[in-house]
Amino acid sequence: MSIILDQSTRVLVQGITGKEGSFWTKHMIDYGTNVVAGVTPGREGQNVAGVPVFHTVKRAVRNIPVEASLLFVPPRFAKEALFEALEAGIKKVVILCDGIPLHDAIQMRKAAISAGAMVIGGNTSGIISMGQAMMGFFPYWLERVYKPGRIGIMTRSGSLTNEITAEVVRAGFGASSLIGIGGDPVPLTRFAEVLPLFEEDPNTDAVVLIGELGGTMEEEVAEAIENKIFTKPLVAFLGGRTAPKGKKMGHAGAIITAGKGTVKDKMIALKNAGALVAERPRQVGTLLESILASKI
């Protein structure tokens, strides 16, 4: 079992005929993803790796049942593409691009909530249910990283994801689902909104959170633990402990503002809530072993 995505999920790819869209669509299919349709305006009648292409999302869903959409579009077109998917009734959307205009992102999150949809991104590698399916661009052929197992992973950082997940595998575990929340200032889905899905998943025994400075998402996770919304073990690693205040570090969302968002404060909040916090990436696997070796 997994969360959000599995082999049966019927996926549409918006921007499927572009260089990145066509390349990763083929890899997603090879991995087991059920890609049933694609959309590129003006390209209807073509196909990519056997997947039919339509002018619009509405035309695609009129012909083929669709449950989820993956967006390979530039940031300035992300809002329009998301609204098109939501208007077609799609409830699961992953947006990969980074640099979505702030005002657009605010409108996009509001629209997703109004539609009752889960929209992941932007500035993310996507989501992957290990050994089943993926929506995004993951080097799944790296077996030292992408190994099926019973650890859920939520992350804001693509680069740290491979390093931390490799430590999970090195410790003898694997991942159930990996959710790339993304690094933009306005995440369209927040960590605390994903936690209940991992809580309900019988094949997830613990969660690893890969966070960073900036924002309040990690503090929201601490609140979810304190309020018993999430009751399984959680191990966190937070990047950016030495970042100077007021400086943007890598991601647009990784900035300390108004005295909030420091890694120190996040670590204190998580520890006080009962989570385990790793000081170094290699400690993530060790901490998992300490709490799960007798269970898995």
Side-chain angles (χ1 to χ4, degrees), residues 113-168:
I113 293 172
S114 297
M118 175 163 280
V119 181
I120 304 293
N123 196 1
T124 176
S125 298
I127 63 177
I128 180 169
S129 295
M130 298 298 179
Q132 298 187 60
M134 72 176 190
M135 294 172 65
F137 36 77
F138 294 94
Y140 58 83
W141 48 86
L142 299 177
E143 295 182 358
R144 64 180 179 84
V145 179
Y146 297 95
K147 176 184 175 182
R150 300 179 63 86
I151 307 299
I153 298 174
M154 307 187 300
T155 178
R156 290 172 67 182
S157 170
S159 57
L160 278 175
T161 296
N162 285 345
E163 183 177 1
I164 300 295
T165 307
E167 295 298 334
V168 172

Side-chain angles (χ1 to χ4, degrees), residues 18-74:
K19 182 178 179 181
E20 296 296 326
S22 59
F23 178 83
W24 285 105
T25 292
K26 294 171 185 175
H27 277 300
M28 288 190 292
I29 292 171
D30 289 344
Y31 193 64
T33 311
N34 186 21
V35 181
V36 297
V39 168
T40 298
R43 299 293 181 89
E44 185 161 328
Q46 297 184 15
N47 74 81
V48 174
V51 177
V53 179
F54 296 87
H55 288 312
T56 64
V57 176
K58 184 178 291 186
R59 289 174 69 91
V61 301
R62 189 182 299 156
N63 288 273
I64 299 173
V66 172
E67 299 171 80
S69 183
L70 173 65
L71 274 57
F72 281 99
V73 300

